[in-house]
Amino acid sequence: MKFEDLLLEIGGFGRFQILILAVLCLLRINLPMHFLLHNFLAATPSHHCAIPHQEAFVNLTMEEVLLISIPQKPDGTFSSCEMFSQPQFHLLLNSSLQPENKSIIQHCQHGWVYDHSQFTSTISTQWDLVCEQRGLNQATATFFFIGVTMGAMVFGFGRKTMLQLSLVCSVVFGMLSAASVSYTMLAITRTLTGVALSGISLIVVPLGMEWVDVQHRTFTGILTSIFWSVGNMLLALAAYLVREWHWLLVAVTGPCLLSIVCLWWVPESARWLIAKGKVKQAHRHLLRCARMNGRKDFDVSPETLTRMATDKNMGGSYSYISLFRTPVLRKISLCSGVVWFGVAFSYYGMSMNLTGFGLSIYLSQFVFGVIEIPAKMVMYVLVNRIGRRQSQAWTLILTGLCIGANIVIPKPFTSLRSAVAIMAKGFSEAAFTTVYLYTSELYPTILRQNGMGYTAFMARLGGALAPLVFLLDEAWRSLPEVTYCGVAVCSGAVAFLLPETLNVRLPEGIEDIEKPQVKVPPEASAPEGVPLQALLK
């Protein structure tokens, strides 16, 4: 007997599963509010060097004081990182006569003055993370994603217990981040917050997926993904209402407390319990599911579940090395790692670039969140029509092409650039939506959490590098966009090497990957065999 057969008997998508998904969707909202928080936490408002003895220029307007104290760029704007060593009063007569003697231009000596019209305070204004310290500002996001990367290894085992631990740690480290009194303290606590939140990212999707039948797997993946977009939009609202970075951290960490309260009702994954040989607990949860779904006549003995575990030899010990021990599983692991890196790298590259499109940073964040929902709706249809593999590959390739298009579109065409950027964000989100569903179906139950941990490691590696790529604009202004474009297109091409999983039974053991797998037509419960190896081109 397969676990899918048990799900058909107890109800593969009844009231029990709907309540589980409702709680897990609430948990998903927490993620983007921290993963994309860098856009507002580390936002850098317009600034210029602080001018010493400014009170001596009482007869001059602020514009005139800046004119004689701050060099102008070729576009007429004032420099953010340089100042004159002495006031250049002759510029009051003709501002176009910029000094040719570069020796009188120096870096800021007395700090900076920031425009607080949009942000009351950010970490950039708190610790002057601008100009020569700009790298530290971008590194804040990298530290967070390094934490998420480490968390992928910490939380790569278990389901509900690890999820509870993840939420508690997220609250503790999130609040400590809000109380940071130095950049070093913030960097450490944000890194630890990333470690904690990684558990939510890793566990929510598999936990929901393992309780629903084959026919509702796609719907489950898309539904949980939609609540990422909801969190995306709520982040824009929270940042708009809370302009001070300490309190903004408190605001985005608060929902984790509600999640802890709600999670107590969610049961452990029966599929995972059977895989680990914990048959008595699995039996109890299956009976509870059957009662809530109105299947009171359901009855299965613990001995039957024991045979399921024994037949698949799922009580053994497995590690991340197991992902590379057999030929087909090795190919899946290598290719999926590249795909996840490309998906995350391009997604966060898009998500952390909210300027240059003619919209405010808050509106850009909100619109980028809104466009994700129709993207998910389209993917709900496409992954069931053209399959997971084609959907994954083409959404990545189209993401790269849109990013590349904005390189050649002139800056003054803000409306066109905004439209192309929104399309790129939609394709990027579609790729992310697909990869979560796709990966959950590629790995067997006994290795699914390890597989999700490994691919999440690759994704967070991409996420950690994405913000640092913005620093490449010092070498060439368009180099960051060229990098995002190239990685997205190449990883999309690699996705063609993965097997198709549409209507294929979730594999239970490693032998299900290496030997002929079972395909389940949507309209029938009787399986038909189809070799998974044959799907690998």
Side-chain angles (χ1 to χ4, degrees):
M1 176 180 281
K2 296 278 188 178
F3 190 81
E4 274 81 3
D5 300 324
L6 282 178
L7 284 177
L8 290 176
E9 293 184 28
I10 64 178
F13 197 77
R15 182 167 172 261
F16 183 80
Q17 285 84 356
I18 291 172
L19 289 174
I20 289 177
L21 291 179
V23 175
L24 295 180
C25 286
L26 175 63
L27 269 62
R28 283 280 288 179
I29 292 176
N30 296 298
L31 294 178
M33 299 184 77
H34 276 277
F35 278 54
L36 301 177
L37 182 62
H38 182 79
N39 289 337
F40 305 99
L41 180 71
T44 303
S46 59
H47 55 279
H48 61 77
C49 297
I51 302 169
H53 313 301
Q54 189 172 331
E55 64 278 1
F57 307 121
V58 291
N59 294 326
L60 300 180
T61 64
M62 190 62 214
E63 185 73 18
E64 290 172 333
V65 172
L66 291 175
L67 186 63
I68 65 174
S69 306
I70 308 294
Q72 288 181 297
K73 298 178 184 177
D75 61 2
T77 59
F78 291 105
S79 173
S80 299
C81 302
E82 295 176 327
M83 62 183 295
F84 294 125
S85 57
Q86 296 293 330
Q88 304 296 303
F89 291 105
H90 69 278
L91 294 177
L92 293 173
L93 301 176
N94 189 346
S95 61
S96 62
L97 296 176
Q98 288 293 307
E100 296 182 2
N101 184 6
K102 300 300 181 183
S103 63
I104 64 172
I105 298 177
Q106 59 186 6
H107 293 295
C108 299
Q109 303 294 310
H110 310 282
W112 287 262
V113 175
Y114 298 94
D115 177 9
H116 293 288
S117 61
Q118 197 168 35
F119 303 98
T120 302
S121 73
T122 68
I123 64 170
S124 296
T125 64
Q126 178 91 23
W127 294 300
D128 289 332
L129 304 181
V130 295
C131 300
E132 294 87 353
Q133 301 298 316
R134 178 188 171 210
L136 288 179
N137 189 21
Q138 292 300 109
T140 308
T142 298
F143 291 143
F144 175 82
F145 282 108
I146 287 174
V148 179
T149 303
M150 294 187 294
M153 295 178 282
V154 173
F155 293 98
F157 310 90
R159 294 295 194 270
K160 182 180 176 180
T161 301
M162 299 304 287
L163 188 54
Q164 291 170 320
L165 177 63
S166 172
L167 283 167
V168 171
C169 291
S170 297
V171 172
V172 172
F173 295 127
M175 293 302 179
L176 285 175
S177 298
S180 296
V181 294
S182 68
Y183 177 80
T184 301
M185 179 179 177
L186 179 75
I188 294 173
T189 52
R190 284 296 288 167
T191 302
L192 294 174
T193 303
V195 173
L197 286 167
S198 181
I200 305 175
S201 177
L202 279 175
I203 299 170
V204 165
V205 174
L207 182 56
M209 202 82 69
E210 290 172 0
W211 270 112
V212 301
D213 55 23
V214 173
Q215 289 76 16
H216 292 93
R217 282 204 320 243
T218 302
F219 174 78
T220 299
I222 300 295
L223 179 65
T224 54
S225 182
I226 283 176
F227 280 82
W228 169 282
S229 302
V230 173
N232 217 332
M233 291 182 280
L234 288 176
L235 172 60
L237 178 62
Y240 180 79
L241 296 175
V242 184
R243 306 294 181 98
E244 207 279 331
W245 73 268
H246 296 92
W247 289 108
L248 180 59
L249 269 167
V250 172
V252 299
T253 303
C256 290
L257 289 170
L258 178 61
S259 300
I260 293 173
V261 175
C262 296
L263 185 63
W264 73 270
W265 184 86
V266 176
E268 183 59 275
S269 167
R271 186 193 294 265
W272 180 82
L273 289 172
I274 293 173
K276 294 300 180 182
K278 300 178 180 180
V279 174
K280 290 184 178 179
Q281 294 180 49
H283 183 254
R284 184 171 67 251
H285 292 314
L286 287 170
L287 291 178
R288 178 185 175 192
C289 175
R291 286 195 304 271
M292 188 170 290
N293 287 344
R295 304 292 181 90
K296 297 180 180 179
D297 56 342
F298 170 77
D299 185 32
V300 63
S301 65
E303 290 74 20
T304 302
L305 301 181
T306 302
R307 283 195 297 272
M308 289 175 61
T310 304
D311 291 343
K312 287 296 180 183
N313 191 26
M314 293 189 281
S317 176
Y318 298 93
S319 66
Y320 289 105
I321 297 176
S322 303
L323 297 173
F324 301 93
R325 278 181 176 157
T326 57
V328 178
L329 193 55
R330 185 184 307 121
K331 184 173 184 178
I332 289 174
S333 298
L334 291 174
C335 292
S336 62
V338 173
V339 170
W340 271 82
F341 178 90
V343 167
F345 187 78
S346 57
Y347 178 86
Y348 289 108
M350 284 293 304
S351 298
M352 292 182 180
N353 183 20
L354 300 180
T355 59
F357 304 119
L359 302 175
S360 75
I361 187 172
Y362 304 105
L363 185 57
S364 293
Q365 177 73 33
F366 186 81
V367 171
F368 276 12
V370 170
I371 193 62
E372 291 182 358
I373 294 180
K376 297 173 197 293
M377 296 295 98
V378 171
M379 294 316 297
Y380 178 67
V381 176
L382 284 182
V383 294
N384 283 326
R385 293 289 180 86
I386 68 173
R388 276 65 158 154
R389 177 170 54 187
Q390 295 287 333
S391 299
Q392 186 68 77
W394 284 109
T395 50
L396 269 172
I397 292 172
L398 289 172
T399 298
L401 294 178
C402 286
I403 295 173
N406 256 349
I407 298 174
V408 298
I409 298 175
K411 297 286 185 182
F413 293 84
T414 55
S415 297
L416 180 58
R417 287 176 56 81
S418 295
V420 173
I422 291 171
M423 288 175 58
K425 188 60 165 64
F427 286 127
S428 179
E429 173 55 33
F432 229 136
T433 298
T434 305
V435 79
Y436 265 107
L437 171 67
Y438 199 9
T439 307
S440 293
E441 297 176 342
L442 283 170
Y443 289 103
T445 299
I446 56 173
L447 284 173
R448 188 165 297 122
Q449 197 68 7
N450 299 80
M452 292 297 287
Y454 155 70
T455 52
F457 174 87
M458 296 302 295
R460 302 320 165 203
L461 182 61
L465 293 176
L468 295 181
V469 171
F470 288 118
L471 300 176
L472 296 178
D473 63 357
E474 296 179 1
W476 177 34
R477 190 171 184 176
S478 298
L479 187 54
E481 287 79 8
V482 171
T483 305
Y484 294 129
C485 171
V487 171
V489 171
C490 292
S491 57
V494 171
F496 285 115
L497 301 176
L498 288 168
E500 181 57 73
T501 61
L502 178 61
N503 294 326
V504 173
R505 284 187 186 274
L506 283 178
E508 304 286 353
I510 294 178
E511 64 272 24
D512 291 334
I513 295 290
E514 300 297 324
K515 295 179 180 178
Q517 182 62 301
V518 173
K519 187 171 184 177
V520 184
E523 67 278 0
S525 59
E528 294 179 350
V530 62
L532 189 60
Q533 301 99 311
L535 299 174
L536 282 166
K537 303 292 185 183

